[in-house]
Structure formats: C-alpha cells, structure tokens
Amino acid sequence: MSDIISSAYVRQDLLTERPAPVKTTGFIGLVRTRLFNSPTNILLTIVGALLLWFTIVPSVKFLMVDAVWTGQDRAACLTENAGFTVGACWPYIQAKLPQLIYGFYPEAERWRVNLTLILAAALLLPLLIPRLPAKSLNAGVFFFAFPVGAFFLLHGGGITGFGLSWTAGLLQLFDDSIIGAGQALLGLSKTSAIGPLLWVVGNIVVLVGTAIYWLIFPLTWLRDQLQGTGQSVWADFATTAAIVSLIAFVLGGGVRTGGRALISSIATFVAIAIVIKLMGLDHGGLPVVATNLWGGLLVTLVVSVTGIVTSLPIGIALALGRRSTIPLIRIFSIAFIEFWRGVPLITVLFFATYMLPLFLPGNFTVDGLVRALIGIALFTGAYQAENVRGGLAAIPRGQGEAAAALGLSWWKTTSLIVLPQALRHVIPNLVNSFISLFKDTSLVSIVALFDLLGSLRASFSDPKWSTPSTAFTGFAFAGIIYFIFCFGMSRYSLFVEHRLNAHRRN
Amino acid sequence: MSTEARKPPAQIALKIRRILGGKAGWNGVAVQFAFAAILGWIGYEIVSNARANLENQHIAAGFGFLRNNAGFDVNQTLISYTGSDTFLRVFVVGLLNTLVVSAVGIVFATVIGFIVALCRLSPNWLLARIGELYVEIIRNLPLLFQILFWYLAVLAALPNPRQSISLFGLSFVSNRGLVVPRPIGESGFEAFLAVLAFGIVASLALRIYARRALFERGQMIRIWPYVLGLLFGLPLITMLVFGPPFSFELPQLKGFNFAGGSRIIPEFVALTLALSTYTAAFIAEIVRAGILSVHSGQMEAGSSLGLSRATTLRLIVVPQAMRVIVPPLTNQYLNLTKNSSLAVAIGYPDLVSVFAGTSLSQTGQAIEIIALTMGVYLLISLLTSAVMSVYGWRVSRSLGA
C-alpha cells in the first residue's frame, strides 16, 4: 500500500471544488436554456414578448381595467359620461343575460329550463367520471329517458295515448302508404309501356298492404277499444306494460331465466308511470312553450345534446353498414356517408329548412327546431360513422373469429365483443366530434333560430345599448362561454386518451 | 389401389352466392330485398309528397328558371353581371366568388399555419407557448363566431373612408373595405406574360433533366442559378426592352369615398381573415405532427452520410414529413372551401349566399337550387378525394418499392 501512495502519479492533495454546473431547472434555468441561450433566441424572445404586450395587455385593460361595471343603459358606457376611454360594457351583458341564456322563454316558466339543465348535469357528470359505478344504467337513463323527459319539461304538453296507440297509428300510416303506392302503380300501368309488369308489381304491393292490414288489425282494434274508455292514457299504459313485460319475459328465457327481464321491464314501467303522474302528462302536462320562443344558450345546448345523442346510433349503424359484406347495404352506407361529409353543414341546414317540408305529406308540419335537428343528426352521424369505423378497424380479426368459434351470431359478436372494444378505442375521437358539433350549432342562427350567437347578434341591434364597445363586450362574453365548453371537452378527451393508453406508457 | 385427390366442389354457385349476398349468403340477399323495398318505399313517398306539395304551391319543377332574369345586384363579381342577367349567371358568379375566397384563404392559412407550427416547434419557450395559446384559443371558438367578430366588431370599428388608415399612401383601410392600387395592362404586357410562361416551362424542363442526370448518371447539376435567371432575370430584361407590363392606378379620396383603385369589400376581408386564421390553427397542428413523426435518427443518419443540415432537411426529413402532412392538409383545404359557405351570415356573395339564399327566396325552387348547390360542393370534395387516393396510391407504391 505504502508504495502506491508514494507513487508519483497518485495525487496527494484534494482538488479545489469546481463551481456548480449551470442551473438548468427552475425558472432561472428556463430563462437560461430556453429563452436567452443564443442571439437568435434572444431576438425571438423579444419578438414574442412584444406580441404578448400588444395583445394580452390591451385585452386585459379592455375587459377589467377600463370596464364599466354598473349602469342602466348606454349612457353609462359612453366615454363622455364615464370620463375615460370605456372598455367592456358589462351592464349590457347583465341586462341581456336572460335573453342570452333563455331567449324569449316566458319568465314564469324559466325554472323548467333550470331544472332540465340541473338534471342533465346530474346525469352527465357521473357518466364522465370513470370511477363511479352503474355506467350502463346511467347511460341508459341519459340517452333514452332524459331526452324524453327533457322534451316534456322544456316544451310542455301532455300525451293522449301510449305505446300501443302510437305503434298502431304508425303501422296504419305505413300500411296506408303501401296501399297508396300499389294503387298508384296500378294507375300507371294503364298508360305505361311496361304496363303488364307494373300491373303485376302493383297488385303484389296492394296484396302485401292488405295482408299487413289484417296482420295489424288486432292492434288497431285494441286501440279503438282503449280510446273508448275514460282513462285512455292509463288503460293504454297498462296494456303496453303488460304486453312488453310478457315479451321480455318470454324472450328472456320464460320461467327458467326470464324473471330478471320481467323485473327490469316492470321497474322501467313503474318509473315511467311515476314520471307521467308527477308531470301530469295524462291531463295536459305543463303549459306549452313553442320552440320559436326558445333561444340563447338553451338552444345551443338542446341542439348539441340532441345531436350528440342521435348521431351516435346513426354513426354506429352506418359504420357497421360500411363494413358489411352485403353489397347493397355497403354501397348505400358509403354513398350516404360520403354525401353528408362532402357538403357543408350550412347547405344541410338549408336542405332541412326548405327541402324537407316538401318531402313530407302536406298536412304534416315539422317544427323549425326539429328540422335543424334532423339535418344536424344526419350530418354528424356521417362523421361519427367514420370515427366508429376507425375503431372497428382497430379491433384484431381474431376477436371476431374467436366469437364465431364460440358459436356467437353476428349480432352477438358485434354487440358483445367488437363494438364495446371499438367504442372504447375511439372515445377521444368521438369527443372531438362532439366539440366540433358544439361549435357548429352556432350555424343554426343562419336558419332563423336564435342560439347563443344568434341572440347575441340580435341584442346588438338594441338601440338602448348601442355603444362603440357593445359588440366587443358581447363577443368577449360569448367567446368565454364557448371557450369554457370546448376547452373543457378537449381536456376531457385528452384525459380519456391518457387513461386508455395507460398500458403503453413507460 | 391409389387414392386420387377428390375434386374440389363446384365454386361457381358459391361465388355467385358470395357476390350477391356477401358473407351472409342467401340471408344477405333477402336482407337486400327488404332494404331495397324500404328504400323504394321512402323514395316513392318523397316523390309523391314533393309532387303534391309543389302543385299546391304552384311551383313548376325543373331547371327552366335558370334562364329567367335574376333582377338583383351582387356587390362583388369577377365576371360582368347586371341585374338583368339570368339565374344561371348568378350561379356562376357565386361559384367564382366561393372559389376566390377559398383560394385566397388557402394561401394565407398555409402561410400562417406553417409559421405557427414552427413557433410551436421552436426551442424558444416563449414562442412555443404563444403558438400553443393561438391554437387553443382559435380551435375552441366556433368559426361563425370568429367571422362575426371580425365583421361586426373589428371591421365595423374602423373609421369611415375620410379618416381611413393609410398604408404607405398606396392602400387605405376603412369600414367600407380595403382599397388597393389597380394594375392596368400596358404595351409590354403580352411580351412579359410570354416570357414568364417560357421561364416557367424552361425551369421545369431543366429540373426534369437534372433529376434524370442525377438518377441515371449520378451527376449533380446545380440548376438554381439558371432557374433564378429564367424566372426573374429574363422578365426583367423584357421589361427594360418592351417597357413596363402594367402600371398602377392609385386610389384617391374624392368627397366621401375613394375613386380609382380596386375596392375589396369588407365582407371578403372579414371572411378571409376568419377562414385563414381558423384553418391555420388546424394546419399548424398537422404540420407539427408531421415533422414530429420523422424519427430523429433520420437526421443523424443523414449527417453520417455526409449531407449538410440543409440537404438532410430537404432530401430526407421534408419528403417523409410531407407524406404524413399532405392528406390531412388537403382535408383542411377542403374544409376551408366548405366553410366559406358561412359567407351567407355576413352577406358575402358566395354560392350559398346568392344562389341558395337570394335566388331561392325569389324563385322558391328549393329542390333544384339546393340540389345544385350541394352538387357543386360534393363534386369539389369527390374530385379532391379522387386526387388524394391517387396520391396515396403513389406514396404506398414508392414505399413498397
């Protein structure tokens, strides 16, 4: 040992401490490494700071510092009266807030809107938090029961029948149309060159129509009997409940395993009965508020939620159709998807507003809001179809083949094996589509519906509040609302994406 | 005692079944018949209802109305148009206006989008955050909101023509729009155009020749000095010989408005601004994703081959990034074209505004007009997707080779 220590190449004394390395973490480190590390970067930093100085500072000044907070009319927001260059005119927003949220919804009935929004939030929040249980029940209530309840809450009105009479009425309408078509063909066959062929087809169609007439005769007869009784809604309700529960019981496996289906069916009907009784639907329900009185954020939310709820089933059906091997269904799905994706939404809304009424029977008028909703549902459905298709394509073939090896039918394979996985994969894409749908709802203001943007635009023309800063204030307010909703949704989509890819992180 | 292989069963029947009914076989055929019957029934209902409704409203179906006089004015036309022209001409005017605003919007959107993408990728922390802020704000606000914001708030707040903001005395910005100098063709115009066309063709030929020389003989030819000479030097010489190709008519303030120059209507300015800034946010994300998709090893491999940084970027990184960027970029261009239909909200005379708006309310020919309008957009998007599928096929072929 001693000779090693005495060797010339072994240092005998400690080195002096070197200075600590340049700090690369924290704020100082950030400034050193990412802001001022080279002449170019210094220049870029200065440019960026100037950019911020000329955008953020005036915005903050406009919204907060120079803003007028109280006042009764435009006089408060004029430079002469305030004594300084006036920024945002917040009293204008205060005065117009009811219009921006409810439109012309009668003041006495606004609690219905609030109640609907609270219900929606109460149903939606647990659906969005992954940790909470009972997702399928929650989703079922939100996607099926809530829209119906919200309709009767917001629109009002009651019902005169229930499932049985609706089914009977619908089938009768369908049957009448078939017989009408057959008779039109028979009429054509007298003058057409291919008369005999048309005659044969027409007769077949009429025959089918007549057969359907006799097939649904028990239903229509039962309906007429029920309408005769004093309590037609409740009689109809009881009959429908009995029939549906019986069918559920038989399909669920009869005496052996059908008990569960029977119980859930009865529970559903009891819940429906409670809702009908609570809202008094059997004798008129709440006072009707026509949709032309709706407006503001209410319309924006109604349109976007309806679009979200209706476009998903349409999208799933189209996506499955597009992947089907049956030629006609595949061709139809492709044509349908490509058509709606190829045209701008505004032409779709024009189509729904001006063309759709022409396609319906003359005595059949569709509400303006409903027309826009139909257009938006078809349009968004086509986009959702492409999202869902992406998810379906991501599922390995082996999944379907394994299901087939277990002897599952196509329906069971799709609904139990493929779709649940595919939909989980594309939740972020679906949410992104919902964001663009939410933004696109602003287009309904072009077809004379007053959504948030439409109400805002209408409020600009009020002479009581016309000041130079009114428009900027209004846009700032609406912009903040839109931003909160869209930004919230996009963060949620990122969160879900992160969660879904948890196994891929390292 | 030899066992011969059994013949395979006849395939024709199976094949027919597969073609007619897909994997579901004869069940599929039955489903198709039911589906066709339902479609036929819906079609019949639509036709018969439409016929009855049109009869009630006393509207004659058909495209004959296109030859009638329109009788309304349009405030921006690329081709000559007066109120006494036909609806067909209105259609063409609207279509051209749509195409113009889309083309201008695409150019600006691409430029802004690339700049924002570079900001987001920049090593400078502040610039990256600014780019992020831009993208988040723009993407989370509806486009219609932005169009109305520019039109109703910003442009309306500009001063009137008498106090307009002057840009170097050449252009003037006011609430009546943007007035710019108007080019007027002079004597040297034809020669200038001819030389310019020749320059472009010759440069392209030179490029093809240089590429062939590189690939076949391994010979590098530096062509950019020649291209520069052809594209800029030659026209400059022509200008000196034949005189200037055009002169500019400067706008002058006369009374309450401008005389001379070309006026760009405020609707166009607002629409272009909103469309290009909105689409730019999406383009920025696409470009960023494309550049990030190229593995950093590519850069290192390039420098290990002895290529300079610029050459590596040009020959290795950009072509690979472009393959990722181009398809969604085209999609954004298509979106911009379709979104230009929001012009109807501020009254810019595009196809939807003058044709599906004004003409529809004047004639009531809803079915024909909306079908034509939708058809135009559908045609544009189908053509684009056809071009893109050819591109995708070429890319996949070059990848496979």
Side-chain angles (χ1 to χ4, degrees):
Chain A
M1 277 308 263
S2 61
D3 44 86
I4 291 178
I5 291 171
S6 63
S7 296
Y9 55 80
V10 175
R11 201 189 287 282
Q12 298 294 321
D13 43 359
L14 281 174
L15 272 176
T16 52
E17 277 180 5
R18 277 187 292 176
V22 177
K23 206 175 167 196
T24 54
T25 55
F27 179 71
I28 308 283
L30 180 87
V31 169
R32 276 210 192 109
T33 53
R34 308 271 316 261
L35 289 176
F36 297 105
N37 55 339
S38 72
T40 341
N41 248 357
I42 291 175
L43 193 73
L44 289 178
T45 307
I46 291 171
V47 169
L50 282 179
L51 214 63
L52 283 184
W53 180 260
F54 283 110
T55 50
I56 302 289
V57 172
S59 312
V60 172
K61 216 173 150 197
F62 177 85
L63 291 178
M64 317 281 276
V65 180
D66 285 347
V68 173
W69 297 92
T70 51
Q72 289 307 312
D73 57 0
R74 68 188 285 266
C77 297
L78 290 177
T79 307
E80 302 89 276
N81 301 337
F84 53 90
T85 326
V86 170
C89 180
W90 293 118
Y92 150 72
I93 294 294
Q94 272 164 25
K96 293 290 177 189
L97 198 60
Q99 198 191 332
L100 291 179
I101 292 181
Y102 306 103
F104 297 104
Y105 211 88
E107 212 165 334
E109 306 289 336
R110 281 182 192 156
W111 62 271
R112 284 154 59 175
V113 180
N114 296 338
L115 182 63
T116 316
L117 292 183
I118 291 171
L119 271 180
L123 284 173
L124 190 61
L125 278 180
L127 201 59
L128 295 182
I129 300 172
R131 208 176 296 159
L132 294 181
K135 279 279 176 290
S136 54
L137 178 69
N138 197 338
V141 172
F142 182 73
F143 283 105
F144 297 105
F146 172 69
V148 179
F151 171 79
F152 285 113
L153 252 182
L154 291 175
H155 182 266
I159 47 176
T160 53
F162 199 70
L164 188 91
S165 54
W166 294 335
T167 320
L170 212 65
L171 285 175
Q172 206 166 29
L173 214 67
F174 175 70
D175 192 39
D176 287 348
S177 162
I178 289 181
I179 293 179
Q183 260 143 12
L185 279 178
L186 284 181
L188 265 180
S189 71
K190 283 171 196 137
T191 52
S192 169
I194 49 166
L197 181 69
L198 284 183
W199 187 83
V200 170
V201 174
N203 266 327
I204 292 176
V205 171
V206 171
L207 204 68
V208 169
T210 322
I212 293 178
Y213 174 77
W214 287 110
L215 216 65
I216 63 173
F217 181 74
L219 219 56
T220 45
W221 177 82
L222 201 58
R223 181 203 40 194
D224 294 341
Q225 294 300 312
L226 289 176
Q227 293 288 344
T229 60
Q231 285 280 328
S232 66
V233 172
W234 289 110
D236 195 338
F237 179 81
T239 325
T240 314
I243 292 175
V244 171
S245 301
L246 198 68
I247 292 175
F249 181 64
V250 171
L251 284 185
V255 186
R256 202 156 46 85
T257 53
R260 206 184 150 86
L262 185 68
I263 288 170
S264 55
S265 162
I266 289 175
T268 314
F269 276 104
V270 168
I272 295 174
I274 291 172
V275 171
I276 290 180
K277 197 71 204 166
L278 264 182
M279 294 173 65
L281 294 181
D282 50 334
H283 44 263
L286 295 163
V288 173
V289 179
T291 55
N292 55 7
L293 294 177
W294 301 16
L297 192 61
L298 169 66
V299 164
T300 298
L301 290 177
V302 164
V303 172
S304 48
V305 170
T306 322
I308 288 168
V309 171
T310 50
S311 69
L312 202 55
I314 296 178
I316 292 175
L318 284 174
L320 290 175
R322 193 166 182 169
R323 281 171 64 86
S324 161
T325 51
I326 302 172
L328 188 65
I329 290 183
R330 193 181 62 238
I331 293 169
F332 173 80
S333 303
I334 293 177
F336 194 88
I337 293 172
E338 293 304 324
F339 175 77
W340 294 111
R341 276 163 50 91
V343 294
L345 179 56
I346 188 69
T347 59
V348 174
L349 289 175
F350 271 86
F351 162 84
T353 316
Y354 298 113
M355 228 157 124
L356 210 57
L358 289 177
F359 290 165
L360 296 170
N363 52 3
F364 203 82
T365 53
V366 185
D367 187 86
L369 184 64
V370 177
R371 278 186 240 160
L373 286 177
I374 293 173
I376 286 183
L378 293 176
F379 182 81
T380 318
Y383 279 84
Q384 296 295 33
E386 288 301 273
N387 285 336
V388 175
R389 190 164 73 108
L392 290 175
I395 303 302
R397 273 176 84 98
Q399 296 285 331
E401 287 166 356
L406 287 175
L408 296 186
S409 67
W410 182 86
W411 289 104
K412 282 194 169 159
T413 309
T414 307
S415 63
L416 297 177
I417 311 282
V418 178
L419 261 186
Q421 299 186 60
L423 288 181
R424 272 178 71 86
H425 264 290
V426 292
I427 289 176
N429 298 2
L430 294 178
V431 176
N432 286 343
S433 286
F434 293 151
I435 296 176
S436 50
L437 170 65
F438 186 80
K439 291 191 290 175
D440 283 343
T441 55
S442 57
L443 266 65
V444 297
S445 65
I446 294 176
V447 287
L449 293 171
F450 287 95
D451 73 321
L452 179 57
L453 202 55
S455 302
L456 182 74
R457 204 177 171 176
S459 74
F460 289 158
S461 54
D462 184 356
K464 194 182 165 196
W465 287 103
S466 91
T467 66
S469 61
T470 303
F472 284 101
T473 314
F475 277 116
F477 176 74
I480 291 170
I481 291 186
Y482 276 118
F483 186 83
I484 289 173
F485 275 98
C486 296
F487 190 72
M489 280 196 271
S490 75
R491 287 298 112 165
Y492 181 71
S493 131
L494 275 183
F495 160 72
V496 173
E497 204 174 336
H498 204 63
R499 206 181 134 80
L500 287 179
N501 289 337
H503 60 287
R504 260 181 238 149
R505 280 201 308 268
N506 40 16
Chain B
M1 189 169 145
S2 63
T3 48
E4 283 185 14
R6 267 188 299 173
K7 275 189 184 161
Q11 295 286 314
I12 296 179
L14 286 177
K15 270 186 186 158
I16 291 176
R17 212 177 80 165
R18 182 79 171 76
I19 291 169
L20 288 180
K23 273 183 193 158
W26 298 122
N27 284 349
V29 178
V31 168
Q32 281 182 76
F33 267 110
F35 191 65
I38 293 173
L39 280 189
W41 174 67
I42 292 175
Y44 160 77
E45 274 293 298
I46 286 177
V47 171
S48 68
N49 286 334
R51 191 173 285 165
N53 285 327
L54 288 179
E55 244 167 49
N56 282 343
Q57 296 174 13
H58 305 290
I59 296 172
F63 289 94
F65 76 96
L66 283 175
R67 281 192 290 278
N68 296 350
N69 279 353
F72 58 86
D73 271 327
V74 177
N75 62 354
Q76 179 193 309
T77 56
L78 289 183
I79 54 175
S80 71
Y81 169 83
T82 60
S84 57
D85 275 320
T86 59
F87 282 111
L88 187 63
R89 200 155 178 97
V90 172
F91 174 75
V92 177
V93 165
L95 180 59
L96 285 177
N97 281 341
T98 292
L99 293 180
V100 162
V101 80
S102 312
V104 175
I106 283 173
V107 172
F108 281 118
T110 313
V111 173
I112 302 173
F114 272 81
I115 292 175
V116 174
L118 290 183
C119 279
R120 286 206 67 178
L121 290 168
S122 148
N124 188 305
W125 182 83
L126 190 64
L127 272 193
R129 291 293 88 73
I130 290 177
E132 208 178 314
L133 192 72
Y134 173 86
V135 170
E136 285 298 343
I137 289 182
I138 295 279
R139 283 207 312 182
N140 285 319
L141 291 176
L143 175 59
L144 186 64
F145 173 90
Q146 297 184 33
I147 292 177
L148 290 180
F149 173 74
W150 288 111
Y151 186 64
L152 293 178
V154 177
L155 291 190
L158 287 174
N160 60 18
R162 289 182 67 87
Q163 277 106 38
S164 59
I165 304 159
S166 159
L167 305 173
F168 311 112
L170 294 174
S171 307
F172 297 90
V173 183
S174 68
N175 58 6
R176 304 282 291 276
L178 176 69
V179 189
V180 293
R182 180 166 54 174
I184 297 170
E186 296 260 333
S187 55
F189 190 58
E190 286 91 359
F192 179 78
L193 270 191
V195 167
L196 200 65
F198 169 75
I200 292 170
V201 171
S203 315
L204 284 179
L206 211 60
R207 182 186 143 83
I208 293 169
Y209 171 75
R211 279 186 84 83
R212 190 166 291 166
L214 179 66
F215 288 148
E216 286 175 2
R217 301 194 296 278
Q219 183 187 4
M220 286 273 264
I221 303 177
R222 180 169 295 176
I223 60 163
W224 65 264
Y226 305 105
V227 171
L228 220 60
L230 278 171
L231 286 184
F232 293 99
L234 215 57
L236 212 67
I237 295 169
T238 337
M239 270 204 305
L240 293 180
V241 175
F242 290 94
F246 37 70
S247 61
F248 288 100
E249 185 192 52
L250 292 182
Q252 299 284 331
L253 188 64
K254 293 248 174 75
F256 290 105
N257 214 336
F258 285 96
S262 314
R263 192 171 76 92
I264 299 173
I265 55 175
E267 290 83 8
F268 182 87
V269 178
L271 192 61
T272 316
L273 263 172
L275 280 178
S276 49
T277 46
Y278 182 77
T279 315
F282 291 87
I283 290 180
E285 287 299 275
I286 290 168
V287 172
R288 176 167 162 267
I291 293 177
L292 286 181
S293 76
V294 181
H295 200 266
S296 59
Q298 299 284 331
M299 214 47 207
E300 292 158 12
S303 51
S304 79
L305 285 173
L307 297 175
S308 72
R309 198 184 142 79
T311 326
T312 319
L313 273 178
R314 189 165 60 86
L315 294 179
I316 293 176
V317 177
V318 170
Q320 296 187 73
M322 277 325 245
R323 219 161 42 210
V324 181
I325 291 173
V326 167
L329 189 65
T330 330
N331 220 347
Q332 286 305 323
Y333 290 166
L334 204 57
N335 275 350
L336 191 146
T337 312
K338 287 194 281 179
N339 283 337
S340 72
S341 59
L342 290 184
V344 67
I346 57 172
Y348 171 75
D350 82 320
L351 182 63
V352 173
S353 176
V354 294
F355 197 62
T358 320
S359 302
L360 174 61
S361 59
Q362 289 214 348
T363 60
Q365 305 271 0
I367 296 179
E368 295 84 356
I369 285 182
I370 291 173
L372 258 182
T373 315
M374 282 182 153
V376 167
Y377 286 104
L378 203 58
L379 192 70
I380 294 175
S381 75
L382 287 184
L383 279 182
T384 318
S385 57
V387 171
M388 281 328 290
S389 57
V390 171
Y391 175 84
W393 172 74
R394 274 193 54 175
V395 165
S396 63
R397 193 187 56 169
S398 72
L399 276 181

